[in-house]
Amino acid sequence: RKEFKIGTVLLIMVVVFFAGSRFGGNSDQDHDHDQHGDKVHTTDEKKVAFWTCSMHPQIKLTRPGKCPICFMDLIPMASEGNGTVEDNSGTLKLSVNARKRAGIVVTPVIRKTASSDINLVGKVAVDETRIEVISSRMAGRIDRLFVNSTGIPVQKGDHLVSLYSPELVIMQQELIGASEARKFLGSEVSPLVKSNATMTLEAAKDKLRLLGFSNDELSAILAQKKPSDHMIIRAKQAGIVLERMATVGSYVEAGMPLFHINDLKKVWVKLDAYESDLAWLRLGQKVVFTVEAYPGEKFSGNIVFIDPVVDPMARTVKVRVVVDNSDLRLKPEMFVRAQVKANISASGNIADASLKGKWISPM
């Protein structure tokens, strides 16, 4: 019985020992875990400077939640290098990840000229400096039209009109007579007489040249020795017949216009500019424009004239642009939309490096 009691006591002591070691170790471990957890939680709280909204960075709260403006979840802004912090100087510092989330792009500051885009509208027009007026240089009757409608392209020297005039017969007879008189002068004639005969012949030729006769036609008249009562009026330049006033059988006076021919290889674009746009427009500026006939394609030209008078009704000023039209695709009266890019210097004036040191003719 005594040995039984001793063994029972020893068993109880062993059980108590192991139980105490187990519970005591877990408590110490849990305590250490709690302390470690408290330490981590405290460290996280120290890293977060404030909570803000990615859409409204002016919101700064001390705890997580919803944005009071857009009700999005607030995001933490850390106070160390991997987040964002605002120091006492008012500077907001963002980490690389924070800049990516905010979509911020940093660019070095450089000195450049500012630019202003001026939008204008207008129409394609005929270049008035390339219009040729074909007129009759003497009175007569139109017996034939070689060009009887507008829009026909002609080349330099093409026949336009056959004109009958009795005055031609008299002028050609003078030419033939002066030529024959000079041929029959003998060797015994004084140099003064020969000189006068030559001058008379040249004067007769000049009269017909002024009417439009070529040297080949004068040579043909002298070879035939027979005057003609008809003359051919020719085109002096290549172009398109824009207007026809001549009619078969009609009588015309000297100087009466018969045709208007224009070379459309260069055209004008007349744009309407408002008064507020005039400060940004200068002679020589490049203009880029589009037309509805060729969508997506851009044409360009330079400003050559700015009207000094404002239209009292539309309150706009006409701006003229010269455009190359070698392919004849731009037609008069086409509607255009144009844009002028004006570079502005630090003083507020127009700055165009391509015009530096150059002179511009208003014509």
Side-chain angles (χ1 to χ4, degrees):
R1 180 179 298 177
K2 183 181 295 184
E3 292 175 357
F4 175 77
K5 289 181 179 180
I6 293 173
T8 304
V9 171
L10 291 174
L11 179 61
I12 293 173
M13 291 177 63
V14 170
V15 172
V16 172
F17 175 80
F18 282 103
S21 300
R22 181 179 181 183
F23 291 126
N26 290 341
S27 298
D28 294 340
Q29 186 177 4
D30 292 342
H31 180 69
D32 293 339
H33 178 73
D34 292 341
Q35 289 181 349
H36 179 71
D38 292 343
K39 184 177 181 181
V40 172
H41 181 69
T42 303
T43 302
D44 292 341
E45 286 184 350
K46 288 182 178 180
K47 288 183 178 180
V48 178
F50 55 86
W51 297 78
T52 184
C53 176
S54 59
M55 298 296 294
H56 303 89
Q58 70 271 23
I59 301 299
K60 299 178 182 179
L61 302 180
T62 58
R63 63 182 62 187
K66 301 288 185 180
C67 175
I69 299 177
C70 62
F71 301 101
M72 292 180 60
D73 291 334
L74 298 179
I75 59 175
M77 293 288 105
S79 60
E80 301 299 334
N82 62 346
T84 306
V85 67
E86 185 176 9
D87 55 22
N88 296 331
S89 64
T91 303
L92 186 65
K93 299 179 180 179
L94 298 178
S95 66
V96 176
N97 294 331
R99 288 199 298 267
K100 290 182 179 179
R101 289 196 300 267
I104 297 176
V105 179
V106 179
T107 303
V109 178
I110 57 176
R111 182 178 294 276
K112 293 177 63 177
T113 57
S115 62
S116 177
D117 295 334
I118 311 300
N119 296 315
L120 307 171
V121 295
K123 290 183 178 181
V124 178
V126 173
D127 187 344
E128 297 176 2
T129 64
R130 304 174 75 89
I131 295 178
E132 179 192 10
V133 179
I134 305 297
S135 59
S136 174
R137 298 190 178 182
M138 62 189 312
R141 183 184 70 239
I142 298 177
D143 282 349
R144 184 178 179 183
L145 283 177
F146 298 98
V147 176
N148 55 8
S149 63
T150 59
I152 296 179
V154 296
Q155 300 298 323
K156 183 178 180 179
D158 283 355
H159 295 189
L160 300 177
V161 170
S162 177
L163 181 70
Y164 163 79
S165 178
E167 298 179 13
L168 287 173
V169 178
I170 300 174
M171 293 182 181
Q172 293 177 50
Q173 286 177 344
E174 291 179 357
L175 174 63
I176 296 172
S179 177
E180 293 298 322
R182 187 178 182 281
K183 289 181 181 179
F184 286 105
L185 292 177
S187 58
E188 68 279 0
V189 178
S190 65
L192 180 60
V193 175
K194 288 183 178 181
S195 176
N196 289 336
T198 302
M199 293 176 59
T200 302
L201 177 61
E202 290 300 322
K205 288 183 178 180
D206 289 340
K207 286 183 180 180
L208 293 174
R209 287 194 187 101
L210 292 175
L211 294 178
F213 283 84
S214 64
N215 291 329
D216 293 338
E217 290 177 323
L218 296 178
S219 299
I221 294 173
L222 294 176
Q224 295 174 0
K225 298 182 181 181
K226 182 179 179 181
S228 173
D229 54 2
H230 282 77
M231 70 172 295
I232 302 298
I233 299 178
R234 293 177 170 83
K236 295 182 179 180
Q237 71 174 21
I240 307 296
V241 177
L242 298 182
E243 190 174 359
R244 176 184 66 86
M245 289 76 75
T247 305
V248 175
S250 62
Y251 282 84
V252 296
E253 299 293 335
M256 182 178 294
L258 304 177
F259 296 94
H260 285 174
I261 299 176
N262 183 262
D263 181 10
L264 295 179
K265 291 184 178 180
K266 283 189 179 295
V267 294
W268 286 352
V269 173
K270 293 183 177 180
L271 304 172
D272 293 322
Y274 290 104
E275 296 179 59
S276 58
D277 298 333
L278 295 179
W280 315 116
L281 300 178
R282 293 290 187 276
L283 294 179
Q285 272 183 309
K286 183 179 180 180
V287 178
V288 179
F289 65 93
T290 59
V291 296
E292 296 181 359
Y294 310 105
E297 187 170 355
K298 293 184 178 181
F299 302 84
S300 63
N302 296 93
I303 297 177
V304 297
F305 180 76
I306 300 176
D307 201 328
V309 180
V310 177
D311 187 335
M313 300 300 294
R315 306 305 304 171
T316 58
V317 174
K318 290 294 182 182
V319 177
R320 185 189 307 161
V321 179
V322 173
V323 182
D324 181 73
N325 190 36
S326 301
D327 51 9
L328 302 180
R329 292 197 298 166
L330 297 176
K331 316 294 183 184
E333 299 301 322
M334 276 185 171
F335 182 77
V336 304
R337 298 181 182 274
Q339 186 179 71
V340 181
K341 184 177 292 295
N343 294 324
I344 306 171
S345 63
S347 60
N349 299 323
I350 301 299
D352 192 344
S354 63
L355 300 179
K356 183 178 179 180
K358 295 183 179 180
W359 295 81
I360 298 176
S361 170
M363 297 298 292

